[in-house]
Amino acid sequence: WKDITAIAVTYGPGLVGALLVGLAEAKALAFAIGKPLIGVHHIEGHICANYIQNTTFEPPYVALVVSGGHTHLVYVYGKYEILGKTRDDAVGEAYDKVARAIGMGYPGGPKIDAAAQKGNPAAISFPRVFLEENSYDFSFSGLKSAVLNYINKANMTGESIVAEDVAASFQAAAIEVLVEKTMKAV
């Protein structure tokens, strides 16, 4: 404990319950060991994690932040300018819901990715949602719904689905949007 100089905690954005539990624990710990409490913005924490391994990494750059509840494109230049963000389902949330729908469970990201490596990304044509021209915002609810509708239709008609192909086709659609918008922003 003597080597710890401060306690850092995410104060938002995020799920209120999780934030409250984390904040209460961090406050109690900081008080108990007599160290300062430092609030960290969730998205900024994701961006700054890059500096842990890349100590010479410096702005300006464009950061793509992909987490369970957030998908952001941020221009970092000493300050942060949000270029685009999730309008509905974040890509991580879509991954979790698709993984659950094809019986892979939670967390969806690593499970979908592992299955996608064994599947055919061109097996099913899922939509790529780019929104308005020149928009850097993201919308993954339509992609998620298309996958769920595909699965439901197959179940209703007695068709079998190949989970690896669903995973690969879903991931190809999601990543295409992420990469294209990021490269456009760059």
Side-chain angles (χ1 to χ4, degrees):
W1 292 109
K2 65 180 176 26
D3 294 335
I4 294 174
T5 56
I7 302 294
V9 62
T10 297
Y11 63 81
L15 298 172
V16 174
L19 292 171
L20 290 174
V21 169
L23 188 57
E25 182 66 23
K27 279 181 164 180
L29 187 57
F31 178 77
I33 65 173
K35 301 294 180 177
L37 181 68
I38 300 169
V40 177
H41 188 278
H42 181 167
I43 305 302
E44 185 177 11
H46 281 291
I47 294 169
C48 291
N50 289 295
Y51 302 121
I52 294 170
Q53 286 190 329
N54 303 299
T55 56
T56 60
F57 194 51
E58 293 182 14
Y61 58 86
V62 173
L64 172 63
V65 179
V66 177
S67 71
H70 304 279
T71 308
H72 280 66
L73 267 175
V74 182
Y75 177 46
V76 181
Y77 56 97
K79 295 183 180 185
Y80 302 98
E81 179 182 338
I82 296 173
L83 302 175
K85 61 185 178 189
T86 303
R87 288 194 187 173
D88 45 42
D89 287 355
V91 71
E93 183 179 359
Y95 266 76
D96 289 341
K97 290 177 180 174
V98 168
R100 192 174 318 124
I102 55 180
M104 294 182 179
Y106 182 86
K111 293 178 179 183
I112 291 284
D113 188 54
Q117 302 309 313
K118 300 172 190 162
N120 175 2
I124 308 154
S125 179
F126 289 129
R128 277 83 166 143
V129 179
F130 290 98
L131 302 170
E132 306 85 26
E133 190 175 343
N134 298 321
S135 172
Y136 294 114
D137 285 349
F138 297 97
S139 172
F140 291 100
S141 66
L143 172 58
K144 175 201 69 185
S145 294
V147 174
L148 298 179
N149 289 339
Y150 174 85
I151 294 167
N152 289 335
K153 180 181 175 195
N155 289 337
M156 288 172 38
T157 60
E159 296 175 43
S160 63
I161 64 165
V162 178
E164 293 82 3
D165 287 349
V166 173
S169 298
F170 161 76
Q171 182 163 275
I175 289 176
E176 182 179 325
V177 172
L178 293 169
V179 169
E180 189 165 319
K181 285 186 178 264
T182 301
M183 294 310 294
K184 185 177 176 185
V186 170

